[in-house]
Amino acid sequence: MNFATARLHMVESQIRPNGVRDPLILDAFASLPRELFVPENRQQLAYIDEGLLAVEAQGDEPARYLLQPMVLARLLEAVEPSREDHVLDVGGATGYSAAILSRIAAKVDALETSAALADAMKKRLSLLGASNVGVHAGALEKGVPSQKPFSLIVVNGAVAEEPKALFDQLADGGRLVAIMRRGWLGRAWLYEKSGDVVSGRPLFDASADYLPGFEPQPQFTF
C-alpha cells in the first residue's frame, strides 16, 4: 500500500470536502503518517473514513481509538489554531492528534491515563521530531492544571457532561472542543471563555467512544 497516496486521498476526499480550509490544518494532515499511530496489523486501515482502534483493551484500561480524520480536522477548523496557541490535547491515545497540533501550535501538552500510554506516546512523538509536545499521565477529566492556562483544549472523544474542570484551565479567550454524547447520539461542541464565563454552541453531528473519566454516571432509581 502506498501510504503517501492514501494520505493525500484522505485530505482531498474526506477532510477538504467537509469544509476544512485552514492551510495549517490541511498541511499537517497531509504530511503526518497516520499509519505510525496504529498497530502494525491495522496500518492498512489507517486512512479509512472512521475512528480507528489504536490501543487494545488491557485489564481495566478500555480500548482506545483515534478520532475519524474528518471529525478531528473539523474540530480543529472550528477552533482556528494558530502558531501562538498553547494547547492541551486530552486523550489522544497514541499521539496522532498531539502530533498534528505540534505542527500548528507553539506548545502542546498531551494527557493520557497511564504511564505506559504516556511513555509510548512520548517515544513516538520524539521519533517524529515533535519537540514542542510535553506528555503527561493522569486522570483525563482533571486535565493538567500545572501547565494552565491553555488557549486551546482538544478533547479526543466523547464526554457525557460538560468538562467543567477543563474549563477552569482555559485562558481568557480560550476555546475547547469536545463531542457531547447522549446514548448513541453525539455532537461536536465549541466552548469559548470570556472572563469567568464559558459559553458553548453545537457544531456538527459526530460519533466517538467515551473517553475514560468522561463516561455517563450510573443512574440510581428506587
Side-chain angles (χ1 to χ4, degrees), residues 1-71:
M1 179 175 180
N2 187 319
F3 288 120
T5 299
R7 189 157 53 248
L8 179 62
H9 182 73
M10 175 189 71
V11 172
E12 296 301 329
S13 68
Q14 300 174 32
I15 294 174
R16 197 188 294 272
N18 278 285
V20 178
R21 297 288 181 266
D22 188 324
L24 293 177
I25 297 173
L26 293 172
D27 287 348
F29 276 87
S31 61
L32 187 66
R34 195 169 191 255
E35 68 273 12
L36 299 184
F37 294 87
V38 296
E40 187 174 354
N41 64 355
R42 300 186 68 82
Q43 288 185 346
Q44 300 290 322
L45 304 174
Y47 296 98
I48 61 174
D49 187 22
E50 60 184 60
L52 189 62
L53 178 68
V55 182
E56 299 276 359
Q58 296 181 16
D60 293 333
E61 280 282 344
R64 304 302 297 281
Y65 297 84
L66 301 185
L67 284 175
Q68 184 179 354
M70 177 271 289
V71 170

Side-chain angles (χ1 to χ4, degrees), residues 83-107:
R83 299 294 192 193
E84 289 73 45
D85 275 317
H86 177 195
V87 185
L88 174 60
D89 185 62
V90 179
T94 52
Y96 180 69
S97 53
I100 289 284
L101 287 161
S102 77
R103 301 185 176 207
I104 301 171
K107 181 181 179 183

